[in-house]
Amino acid sequence: MTNKINNSKGSLHGYWSSRISFILAVAGSAVGLGNIWKFPYIAGVNGGGAFVLVYILCVFLIGLPILVSEILIGRMGRRNPASSMEAMALQSSSSKKWAFVGLMGILSGVLILSYYSVIAGWSLAYIFESFSGTFVNANSTIVEESFFSLSSSWKITMFWHSLFMIITAYVVSKGVAEGLEKAVRLLMPLLILLLLILLVYSALEGEFIAGLSFMFAPRFHDLTADGILVALGHAFFTLSVGMGAIMAYGAYLPDNMSIGRISISVVLADTFIALISGLVIFPIVFANGLDPEAGPGLVFMSLPMAFGNLPGGIGLGVIFFTLLSFAAWTSAISLMEPAVAWAVEKFKIQRVTASFFICLIIWVFGLGTVFSFSLLSDFLLLGRNIFDNLDYLTSNILLPLGGLMIVIFASWVVNIDSLSIQLDKSRGIFFRLWLFLSRYIAPIGVMIIFFYSVNIFST
Ligand code: TRP
């Protein structure tokens, strides 16, 4: 990122050096634990097939237009998400109160990162667990016990959570583009390659047909109203939309780069990686008598079984969890960036100082998740532990709500001429499709799913 331009219309935090570095940063944000850890386990808990279908529909009809909206607002506003929305609102003679959406997003990012970091910490721990040979020839009892002994030990998980927060804050304190670009460019292709190798293993050694049918045969009676809400929430989570992360990145995008094609490639890549992960994991789950509804530990139990039974499995395990940790890292950076950019602008402090304090706050919140798998595992609110509540609140409520307001803001409030200048001057098919999805389909879709899940229709 270059830091030269600092006038009132420019970005205060610098610019991406090229189109490719922006694509990599957005893809690095989107592809993370959501694709490999979260998607398979929530698909498992929600019955597979029908859930996957709703998720895909939500990604393309709701998530994609919101992704485009976020980049647009970010690039037009050129500030942290709250100030960008405020600036665009004033410019469109609308209320300053829109800034509140940006603030809510900043808070969502802080809450999400607090638990994201704990799970990323598990992944770091599994690099060493794999290296130590624990999983060689492992059976289901061994992988289950290893997972529970890690997650229930708060001292160890707190250590890895702390380490992960430190390395995340370190990158954010430097400014996002430095280092990030190189990491993503190299690691993302490697991650895909390794997933494909695992896919071959699953196809040969796992119950592949059972896995395939679990993921793609729609069994609608397995899908509850809440499951639909979870699918919607995950569409936001996996694309990193609804809280301003992509808006913050869009603020550093030079004016001449096309937004449409970038967005579509990122969405396709993200969906592809999630589906491949599912196709790797479920055949292993079914072949080894693991429980598809095992919850957050699913990936940490199923993949080590595969590594344990493969030649060179120790090496593969180490590489896989290293790549997963990197994928989590590039996502975590984007969760933290809006809060840091906001603090820098609001309190006129240095990036390093802002990163330190925000990191500390997130770390403290993260202890809630650390303890919800150990000391406080019996502490339930609304039938869920702290981690589940945080995830439910952020993914299923705050992100869809934030996304709803962002997409309404972009398509109804912001001046349409400036939008078309940003997106497509000739107002071609992509522009019109984006406008239609953003004005009608995405907001109505989110509202229907919200109301449906609070059972308005069934009473
Ligand atoms: N999309 C990331 C993943 O799938 C997580 C993430 C990064 C995120 N930035 C975000 C989720 C912003 C919601 C909002 O792992």
Side-chain angles (χ1 to χ4, degrees), residues 451-459:
F451 288 131
Y452 188 66
S453 72
V454 295
N455 276 327
I456 287 231
F457 295 145
S458 61
T459 49

Side-chain angles (χ1 to χ4, degrees), residues 29-35 112 116 236-241 243 245 270 331-332 334-335 399:
S29 165
V31 176
L33 295 172
N35 307 62
I112 293 175
Y116 202 85
F236 285 85
F237 188 93
T238 192
L239 298 181
S240 305
V241 298
M243 52 113 353
D270 186 81
S331 300
S334 75
L335 284 161
L399 292 182

Side-chain angles (χ1 to χ4, degrees), residues 96-111:
K96 261 172 72 161
K97 296 213 177 69
W98 281 105
F100 178 73
V101 177
L103 284 176
M104 190 180 91
I106 288 169
L107 176 71
S108 315
V110 166
L111 293 178

Side-chain angles (χ1 to χ4, degrees), residues 121-390:
W122 293 353
S123 175
L124 287 175
Y126 262 57
I127 300 175
F128 296 89
E129 194 77 48
S130 308
F131 186 69
S132 74
T134 312
F135 305 125
V136 175
N137 295 323
N139 55 26
S140 53
T141 322
I142 293 180
V143 292
E144 279 164 8
E145 274 172 6
S146 318
F147 175 71
F148 288 117
S149 84
L150 170 70
S151 59
S152 62
S153 156
W154 65 267
K155 287 186 193 141
I156 299 180
T157 43
M158 187 157 97
F159 168 77
W160 293 111
H161 160 57
S162 313
L163 184 66
F164 186 80
M165 277 316 301
I166 292 171
I167 59 177
T168 301
Y170 175 74
V171 178
V172 176
S173 74
K174 290 264 176 200
V176 262
E178 235 163 80
L180 181 73
E181 179 174 346
K182 277 198 212 96
V184 185
R185 200 191 282 258
L186 176 71
L187 297 167
M188 194 92 82
L190 263 182
L191 181 68
I192 295 179
L193 181 71
L194 208 63
L195 278 174
L196 292 176
I197 294 177
L198 288 171
L199 183 65
V200 174
Y201 169 82
S202 269
L204 296 177
E205 299 289 324
E207 299 265 345
F208 197 67
I209 302 297
L212 206 62
S213 125
F214 181 76
M215 279 194 39
F216 293 112
R219 294 168 302 275
F220 286 101
H221 50 87
D222 288 346
L223 188 61
T224 59
D226 199 54
I228 299 179
L229 181 64
V230 175
L232 174 77
H234 189 62
F236 285 85
F237 188 93
T238 192
L239 298 181
S240 305
V241 298
M243 52 113 353
I246 303 295
M247 209 186 281
Y249 279 8
Y252 320 142
L253 182 64
D255 281 317
N256 51 5
M257 296 182 192
S258 124
I259 295 177
R261 216 172 312 142
I262 294 178
S263 309
I264 292 177
S265 352
V266 169
V267 170
L268 286 176
D270 186 81
T271 311
F272 176 76
I273 293 180
L275 294 179
I276 297 290
S277 305
L279 282 181
V280 168
I281 285 163
F282 286 113
I284 300 175
V285 166
F286 292 127
N288 294 287
L290 292 167
D291 180 6
E293 299 190 30
L298 189 65
V299 177
F300 295 95
M301 297 189 254
S302 56
L303 292 185
M305 299 264 309
F307 299 134
N309 295 300
L310 275 170
I314 293 189
L316 284 179
V318 170
I319 297 174
F320 178 83
F321 286 109
T322 307
L323 292 173
L324 183 62
S325 306
F326 267 107
W329 192 21
T330 53
S331 300
I333 291 164
S334 75
L335 284 161
M336 193 165 163
E337 173 64 19
V340 170
W342 172 79
V344 167
E345 290 171 38
K346 172 95 184 168
F347 305 113
K348 313 242 172 335
I349 50 178
Q350 293 203 318
R351 201 164 243 280
V352 181
T353 322
S355 306
F356 175 79
F357 283 107
I358 305 258
C359 170
L360 199 63
I361 295 170
I362 297 175
W363 181 82
V364 172
F365 279 146
L367 297 181
T369 296
V370 166
F371 294 141
S372 73
F373 294 97
S374 48
L375 300 178
L376 298 178
S377 58
D378 294 331
F379 176 75
L380 303 183
L381 262 174
L382 304 168
R384 297 186 200 97
N385 66 23
I386 302 173
F387 157 73
D388 285 326
N389 271 312
L390 268 177

